[in-house]
Amino acid sequence: MSRPIDILLKRVRGHQRVPSDSKEFLEVTKRDALRLLENDLDQLLLSALPERRPSLQQEMARFVDLFGRFLQEEGPSIDWDKIQKLPENAVMDYSKLKSPNNDKVQMMLDKLVVVKLNGGLGTSMGCHGPKSVIPVRSDLTFLDLTVQQIEHLNKTYNANVPLVLMNSFNTDEDTEKIIRKYKGFRVQIYTFNQSCFPRICRESFLPIAKDCNVEKDIEAWYPPGHGDFYDTFRNSDLLKQFIDEGREYCFLSNIDNLGATVDLNILNKLVGEECLDKPVEFVMEVTDKTRADVKGGTLIQYENKLRLLEIAQVPKERVDEFKSVKTFKFFNTNNIWAKLDAIDRVCRQHTLNMEIIVNNKTLENGLRVVQLETAVGAAMKCFDGSIGINVPRSRFLPVKKTSDLFLVMSNLYNLKNGSLVMSPQRMFPTTPLVKLGENHFGKVKEFLGRFANIPDIIELDHLTVSGDVTFGRGGTVIIIANHGDRIDIPAGAILENKIVSGNMRILDH
């Protein structure tokens, strides 16, 4: 992430000394930027209640470290010419993994902790509150389905797999109220909060917050991405608790990925009969990349270590190469298995070094701010014995848009013990490509209002809907827009017991 010297200097106030050497000049300027930030953070801490200051001080120290690294970065973190070919054993094929014997499963599960990233809001789909409480199937929410899955595991194998939710200050209060309803379930639920960092003014590089009361000015603060998991999990004391209980691994995933269920074959490779002589400290589930996944992270070998490569790290002239399905075959699902004592070690030794994601935003009042974030998968290079496992696409079923919601609500999937399983009636395993226009289908309420019921899509290949379209109930309609063709259905059109195919536009007269 290169920033020209003059731009950096404009952002720093109060600098007096002007050394002659430009490199030394820039170093002094960076030190001043850090010093000014620390001064502002010290003032912010004074506004906090005395009992909150120790934990806030710890949090702000992490932010200062992140900001300091941000100032020091000069150019891309990857030298493209140093990317090595993936070693043969770097990515295992899921189909080669063996299932464990039933009598070993309880022992394996009792070494596991399930963690769900639960910091996001449903605002992008027009919902209020945590995204995890959006109904996605049979009036069940992401959280309901997750609890069902783990309870089924615990009951089936007489195990005690706990569920841990990493909340943010945006989702914590609502989530704490919601999880009370699971008290009678056979699942122990724990929560902890990820960090709350101050947004930085893009011009001055100083916090825009005036005091530590987050609720008073919520726009001045942000949760710094899921890479914050490692430190906050350890600081919550949950990591120590689980290690003391004899647990060895956590399985971490986004709560909106309905395909991210506990997989016994992968667990067998980590703690069962199939485990390797040298423990695997970090597993990233990847799946075959398609043209729809061109912006997603991929795996590379770099400086003799396996690591995640994100599009933000790619030089502009190499972006097309990065997007190539032939060159980079795998796509990161963000389903991660990590060894608990290894997490403790890298946090304790301060050897976590995740690439910084610079997220530029403009607030409602027009103020331009910077958020510094990290991604959980970027820590892969900091662990020993990391591997990838190439899993079926069924383990990557995220719901980011209403077009994803359309798929998971349809008859394409059957619900079984909280898990979505593709219908055996579908003749091929690929998921249909569905694109619903943002203007009329982008929000959940609008989306539901435009479908009297979700149509039968067992044989669907590709559906694109744009414009003011409402779907009625009943009948069988088959719409086939072959590759390169387009079908536009206008407002008010009624299609019942029809087959529409080819390349055509139905126009109002």
Side-chain angles (χ1 to χ4, degrees), residues 206-303:
L206 294 173
I208 63 170
K210 302 303 177 201
D211 62 46
C212 278
N213 187 339
V214 175
E215 289 179 14
K216 196 163 85 177
D217 188 8
I218 206 158
E219 278 214 310
W221 302 86
Y222 74 99
H226 38 58
D228 187 50
F229 160 73
Y230 304 102
D231 281 316
T232 47
F233 185 44
R234 183 171 183 264
N235 291 339
S236 72
D237 291 331
L238 285 172
L239 178 60
K240 182 181 185 303
Q241 177 187 326
F242 294 135
I243 290 172
D244 290 347
E245 288 174 7
R247 300 189 187 275
E248 294 182 20
Y249 281 88
C250 67
F251 170 51
L252 178 145
S253 61
N254 298 333
I255 197 150
D256 66 7
N257 180 4
L258 294 174
T261 58
V262 172
D263 188 279
L264 296 179
N265 294 7
I266 296 175
L267 192 59
N268 193 30
K269 194 73 188 171
L270 300 177
V271 297
E273 299 158 305
E274 293 296 307
C275 67
L276 302 169
D277 294 335
K278 188 184 176 189
V280 175
E281 290 190 352
F282 192 101
V283 175
M284 179 180 287
E285 291 186 36
V286 295
T287 193
D288 290 340
K289 192 169 165 181
T290 69
R291 286 181 177 82
D293 309 315
V294 290
K295 290 184 180 178
T298 191
L299 281 181
I300 59 169
Q301 183 83 350
Y302 192 84
E303 295 176 340

Side-chain angles (χ1 to χ4, degrees), residues 17-257:
R17 292 159 294 170
V18 187
S20 57
D21 180 72
S22 62
K23 189 173 182 184
E24 185 188 346
F25 180 68
L26 184 55
E27 284 307 311
V28 171
T29 306
K30 287 176 178 178
R31 285 200 299 272
D32 280 357
L34 196 56
R35 179 177 54 79
L36 289 166
L37 178 91
E38 288 177 314
N39 288 344
D40 267 35
L41 293 179
D42 286 343
Q43 292 302 309
L44 275 179
L45 284 170
L46 291 175
S47 71
L49 295 170
E51 61 269 22
R52 285 199 65 219
R53 282 178 199 163
S55 63
L56 281 172
Q57 213 157 8
Q58 201 178 42
E59 206 159 90
M60 289 306 124
R62 287 201 301 276
F63 179 70
V64 168
D65 177 65
L66 189 66
F67 185 79
R69 288 203 298 117
F70 162 67
L71 287 178
Q72 291 304 321
E73 286 191 0
E74 296 173 0
S77 58
I78 293 279
D79 180 343
W80 198 261
D81 295 327
K82 288 185 180 177
I83 294 177
Q84 301 159 290
K85 189 179 178 185
L86 282 177
E88 272 187 38
N89 58 350
V91 180
M92 293 185 174
D93 187 341
Y94 178 84
S95 65
K96 303 271 174 63
L97 299 183
K98 293 182 180 176
S99 299
N101 292 323
N102 263 4
D103 58 346
K104 303 287 185 186
V105 174
Q106 181 191 355
M107 173 274 292
M108 288 164 45
L109 289 173
D110 285 342
K111 293 181 179 180
L112 182 68
V113 178
V114 172
V115 182
K116 293 288 181 180
L117 302 170
N118 184 47
L121 295 168
T123 46
S124 62
M125 293 201 292
C127 297
H128 301 288
K131 188 175 183 181
S132 57
V133 299
I134 297 174
V136 286
R137 182 77 189 217
S138 308
D139 288 328
L140 297 172
T141 65
F142 292 106
L143 200 48
D144 291 335
L145 294 173
T146 300
V147 171
Q148 272 194 20
Q149 289 164 18
I150 297 175
E151 185 186 47
H152 174 68
L153 269 182
N154 287 340
K155 281 183 172 177
T156 305
Y157 299 104
N158 194 29
N160 183 26
V161 178
L163 170 63
V164 179
L165 302 173
M166 182 172 89
N167 300 333
S168 67
F169 64 86
N170 288 318
T171 62
D172 182 56
E173 192 177 334
D174 287 340
T175 301
E176 289 297 335
K177 290 175 187 170
I178 291 158
I179 60 176
R180 291 175 196 158
K181 71 178 182 179
Y182 304 121
K183 275 190 175 174
F185 287 71
R186 190 170 166 173
V187 182
Q188 283 182 290
I189 302 177
Y190 301 87
T191 64
F192 71 97
N193 268 19
Q194 70 176 115
S195 300
C196 176
F197 284 172
R199 281 176 166 156
I200 299 296
C201 174
R202 207 181 304 176
E203 275 67 46
S204 68
F205 269 20
L206 294 173
I208 63 170
K210 302 303 177 201
D211 62 46
C212 278
N213 187 339
V214 175
E215 289 179 14
K216 196 163 85 177
D217 188 8
I218 206 158
E219 278 214 310
W221 302 86
Y222 74 99
H226 38 58
D228 187 50
F229 160 73
Y230 304 102
D231 281 316
T232 47
F233 185 44
R234 183 171 183 264
N235 291 339
S236 72
D237 291 331
L238 285 172
L239 178 60
K240 182 181 185 303
Q241 177 187 326
F242 294 135
I243 290 172
D244 290 347
E245 288 174 7
R247 300 189 187 275
E248 294 182 20
Y249 281 88
C250 67
F251 170 51
L252 178 145
S253 61
N254 298 333
I255 197 150
D256 66 7
N257 180 4

Side-chain angles (χ1 to χ4, degrees), residues 409-420:
M409 290 176 73
S410 74
N411 66 339
L412 188 67
Y413 295 99
N414 298 326
L415 189 60
K416 189 177 180 184
N417 302 313
S419 300
L420 292 184

Side-chain angles (χ1 to χ4, degrees), residues 209-476:
K210 302 303 177 201
D211 62 46
C212 278
N213 187 339
V214 175
E215 289 179 14
K216 196 163 85 177
D217 188 8
I218 206 158
E219 278 214 310
W221 302 86
Y222 74 99
H226 38 58
D228 187 50
F229 160 73
Y230 304 102
D231 281 316
T232 47
F233 185 44
R234 183 171 183 264
N235 291 339
S236 72
D237 291 331
L238 285 172
L239 178 60
K240 182 181 185 303
Q241 177 187 326
F242 294 135
I243 290 172
D244 290 347
E245 288 174 7
R247 300 189 187 275
E248 294 182 20
Y249 281 88
C250 67
F251 170 51
L252 178 145
S253 61
N254 298 333
I255 197 150
D256 66 7
N257 180 4
L258 294 174
T261 58
V262 172
D263 188 279
L264 296 179
N265 294 7
I266 296 175
L267 192 59
N268 193 30
K269 194 73 188 171
L270 300 177
V271 297
E273 299 158 305
E274 293 296 307
C275 67
L276 302 169
D277 294 335
K278 188 184 176 189
V280 175
E281 290 190 352
F282 192 101
V283 175
M284 179 180 287
E285 291 186 36
V286 295
T287 193
D288 290 340
K289 192 169 165 181
T290 69
R291 286 181 177 82
D293 309 315
V294 290
K295 290 184 180 178
T298 191
L299 281 181
I300 59 169
Q301 183 83 350
Y302 192 84
E303 295 176 340
N304 298 316
K305 292 208 84 169
L306 202 58
R307 67 191 281 176
L308 176 66
L309 176 65
E310 299 274 14
I311 195 165
Q313 299 161 248
V314 178
K316 284 182 181 175
E317 67 274 14
R318 299 287 191 171
V319 167
D320 287 343
E321 196 176 336
F322 171 80
K323 290 180 176 180
S324 162
V325 179
K326 286 181 181 176
T327 311
F328 297 103
K329 297 176 183 176
F330 303 118
F331 167 68
N332 172 28
T333 66
N334 219 38
N335 300 347
I336 285 162
W337 305 71
K339 205 163 189 296
L340 297 179
D341 59 5
I343 293 174
D344 185 57
R345 184 191 73 240
V346 296
C347 291
R348 193 177 63 250
Q349 295 179 352
H350 303 289
T351 53
L352 273 175
N353 180 25
M354 293 168 281
E355 286 75 22
I356 296 169
I357 300 162
V358 181
N359 194 347
N360 293 305
K361 285 187 175 286
T362 302
L363 304 184
E364 282 184 13
N365 61 6
L367 187 65
R368 299 190 308 156
V369 297
V370 174
Q371 292 181 185
L372 303 179
E373 304 172 9
T374 54
V376 69
M380 184 180 212
K381 64 182 180 184
C382 309
F383 290 84
D384 297 328
S386 298
I387 62 167
I389 296 181
N390 186 14
V391 298
R393 189 75 183 195
S394 58
R395 289 191 60 73
F396 183 65
L397 198 59
V399 179
K400 304 292 184 190
K401 297 181 175 181
T402 53
S403 50
D404 302 320
L405 198 56
F406 174 88
L407 290 170
V408 300
M409 290 176 73
S410 74
N411 66 339
L412 188 67
Y413 295 99
N414 298 326
L415 189 60
K416 189 177 180 184
N417 302 313
S419 300
L420 292 184
V421 182
M422 191 175 280
S423 169
Q425 289 178 275
R426 185 156 174 92
M427 300 303 289
F428 33 94
T430 54
T431 309
L433 181 61
V434 174
K435 295 179 182 177
L436 302 177
E438 281 292 314
N439 290 343
H440 296 89
F441 292 85
K443 309 299 182 193
V444 172
K445 191 176 178 183
E446 293 173 335
F447 161 79
L448 293 174
R450 290 179 177 276
F451 286 98
N453 59 357
I454 303 295
D456 178 344
I457 64 166
I458 289 290
E459 295 180 25
L460 181 68
D461 176 40
H462 180 173
L463 172 67
T464 296
V465 182
S466 69
D468 187 357
V469 180
T470 302
F471 289 77
R473 184 185 296 276
T476 298

